[in-house]
Amino acid sequence: EADIYQTPRYLVIGTGKKITLECSQTMGHDKMYWYQQDPGMELHLIHYSYGVNSTEKGDLSSESTVSRIRTEHFPLTLESARPSHTSQYLCASSEWGGGSPYEQYFGPGTRLTVT
Amino acid sequence: QQPVQSPQAVILREGEDAVINCSSSKALYSVHWYRQKHGEAPVFLMILLKGGEQKGHEKISASFNEKKQQSSLYLTASQLSYSGTYFCGTVLLRGNQFYFGTGTSLTVIP
């Protein structure tokens, strides 16, 4: 069974605070992703990784950063949270082969509110 | 490069059929389909590779026309549990980036 975890599930934080959203998967997948999604709206890719020490920015401009020191762990950090960062953040992982990703498994998401 | 889905929203009565379309402006290697229920994360439905194949998943099937750079998702005899937002995802023939589509909200009513 696919296991991908995100913590915290909900976070309310004040403007200017530094926050880290955690994402871990136990499937040994090489590729991992972070998406931002407002309720009922599209999924926007903000970061992805092909494996350890590999990180890339997605299509949506983001003030966040990511790291991939271990295969299973892909945290996302906001150095200074702003109200415009209020959204849901979804982490996903997939296998990778033949130059193409396979199905993505999603975590439950972190709903972030910046006041 | 984001694929465009149509319709944006559809309302069905139980037992009716629906078709959701996904179109890309670039040549595709594969198309993925996901369903996201309200308040939940997206869940994978199926993947179609270039070659014009068609796949089925219970009463949900899909086709991929690589010449037209389009895919369609067919929902037959819809059930209440089919309600949600459907997203296609595409991998380009050139390059390996994955793009989610614009989404289609589907509501099935009794």
Side-chain angles (χ1 to χ4, degrees):
Chain A
E1 182 171 318
D3 289 315
I4 180 164
Y5 307 97
Q6 289 185 244
T7 57
R9 292 291 310 277
Y10 303 91
L11 180 62
V12 180
I13 201 162
T15 298
K17 299 290 186 183
K18 178 180 178 178
I19 57 172
T20 297
L21 307 184
E22 301 287 349
C23 176
S24 295
Q25 51 99 359
T26 60
M27 296 168 281
H29 289 165
D30 285 328
K31 198 159 185 188
M32 295 188 73
Y33 316 75
W34 276 104
Y35 293 93
Q36 185 176 340
Q37 184 184 35
D38 293 325
M41 302 298 285
E42 303 166 19
L43 289 142
H44 295 288
L45 180 67
I46 48 177
H47 295 283
Y48 61 99
S49 166
Y50 288 108
V52 172
N53 295 325
S54 153
T55 61
E56 302 284 346
K57 289 195 172 186
D59 292 327
L60 181 67
S61 175
S62 172
E63 295 161 336
S64 58
T65 58
V66 291
S67 63
R68 190 89 182 274
I69 298 172
R70 303 196 316 266
T71 298
E72 63 272 20
H73 194 214
F74 191 41
L76 180 143
T77 298
L78 278 167
E79 291 293 332
S80 179
R82 299 200 285 191
S84 60
H85 295 140
T86 295
S87 188
Q88 170 150 278
Y89 292 83
L90 289 161
C91 179
S93 71
S94 71
E95 292 182 353
W96 179 263
S100 177
Y102 296 142
E103 63 180 280
Q104 294 182 43
Y105 295 89
F106 283 84
T110 294
R111 189 167 296 280
L112 174 65
T113 302
V114 184
T115 61
Chain B
Q1 290 172 328
Q2 180 184 31
V4 177
Q5 292 182 229
S6 63
Q8 283 187 312
V10 58
I11 299 174
L12 302 171
R13 292 200 178 274
E14 265 186 299
E16 291 183 337
D17 302 339
V19 180
I20 299 172
N21 300 302
C22 173
S23 294
S24 172
S25 59
K26 294 186 182 290
L28 300 176
Y29 175 76
S30 66
V31 179
H32 303 211
W33 284 98
Y34 290 79
R35 175 171 63 205
Q36 184 177 28
K37 299 202 172 187
H38 181 69
E40 298 179 9
V43 174
F44 174 80
L45 293 176
M46 65 188 78
I47 182 172
L48 301 101
L49 302 176
K50 69 180 184 73
E53 65 175 2
Q54 185 155 350
K55 276 196 172 180
H57 178 77
E58 297 178 347
K59 292 182 181 178
I60 300 174
S61 62
S63 62
F64 176 24
N65 187 325
E66 59 187 293
K67 288 184 180 178
K68 291 186 177 180
Q69 297 156 191
Q70 292 176 348
S71 177
S72 294
L73 186 72
Y74 306 94
L75 298 103
T76 306
S78 58
Q79 306 167 12
L80 295 175
S81 62
Y82 286 2
S83 292
T85 302
Y86 288 78
F87 291 98
C88 67
T90 55
V91 178
L92 301 183
L93 195 59
R94 295 187 182 279
N96 50 31
Q97 185 55 284
F98 179 88
Y99 299 94
F100 270 110
T102 50
T104 296
S105 172
L106 186 138
T107 304
V108 181
I109 58 176

